[in-house]
Amino acid sequence: TPESITAIRPMKDGVIADMDSTEKMIRYFISKIISKHRIVKSTRMKIGIPTCITEVEKHAVEEAAIKAGAKEVECIAESLAAAIGAQIPINEPAGHMVCDIGGGTTEVSVISLGGMVVTNAIRLGGDAFDEAIVKHVRKIHNLKIGQQTAERLKMEIGNAAPDKTIEKMVISGNDATTGLPRRLEIDSVEVREALKEPVTQIVEEIKRT
């Protein structure tokens, strides 16, 4: 990030970390929808939230949306929203399991007859995957890399189970000892090893549910 720019996270671990920034972000999204679809400003909004957040945290989400210009706000479980978005027939008298991995939380639910039969959520998601890669590269290769580089590794060669082919990628970072820039080639086997702990936690949550 350039010195003239400060990168902030309005949302962290599935909840609002910065109220003002979150409000501005939602207002921006609303304005984009209004300009694209030419709808009136009296917006009704449904917001997907993880079931592990508190009532206070839920109220903060509703308040931010109303301040941003929403006329009516309703919060629904993230996994239910994900199931609807994936066109899963949630109203059938059959169980459908959804594992929704977000940035800060993972929610595992069994949905049937339009409702959630059972749901569990943990405060662990894609951000934890990135952090695990950052720590691994620092520990094994003594190389400091940023969140964006870690995310690129995760997206391009990351996996949770062994692949038939081993993929490789060259990354750049700063040597933790000298502080000088250094390049490193890393393969998908090593990225999988780095992701083992957070992936195992999610698998255990799926088994438990």
Side-chain angles (χ1 to χ4, degrees), residues 19-133:
M19 188 64 138
D20 291 338
S21 299
T22 303
E23 185 190 318
K24 286 173 186 171
M25 186 172 67
I26 296 172
R27 189 181 288 123
Y28 169 75
F29 292 148
I30 292 172
S31 69
K32 283 201 79 171
I33 295 164
I34 289 169
S35 61
K36 188 178 179 181
H37 300 286
R38 295 175 183 173
I39 59 173
V40 290
K41 280 198 172 184
S42 56
T43 314
R44 286 188 302 162
M45 192 182 288
K46 285 191 187 289
I47 301 180
I49 58 167
T51 52
C52 60
I53 69 171
T54 65
E55 278 299 315
V56 174
E57 290 165 338
K58 179 185 170 185
H59 179 69
V61 172
E62 292 169 345
E63 192 182 326
I66 289 166
K67 281 185 177 178
K71 188 180 178 185
E72 200 178 304
V73 181
E74 184 187 346
C75 291
I76 63 170
E78 276 180 350
S79 48
L80 192 61
I84 294 165
Q87 297 184 328
I88 291 170
I90 60 170
N91 292 313
E92 284 186 353
H96 298 277
M97 176 174 269
V98 175
C99 176
D100 178 46
I101 304 174
T105 59
T106 294
E107 188 161 287
V108 187
S109 303
V110 176
I111 300 165
S112 183
L113 294 170
M116 293 198 298
V117 181
V118 60
T119 182
N120 287 304
I122 50 173
R123 297 201 187 219
L124 181 148
D127 293 342
F129 288 7
D130 299 341
E131 193 58 43
I133 293 170

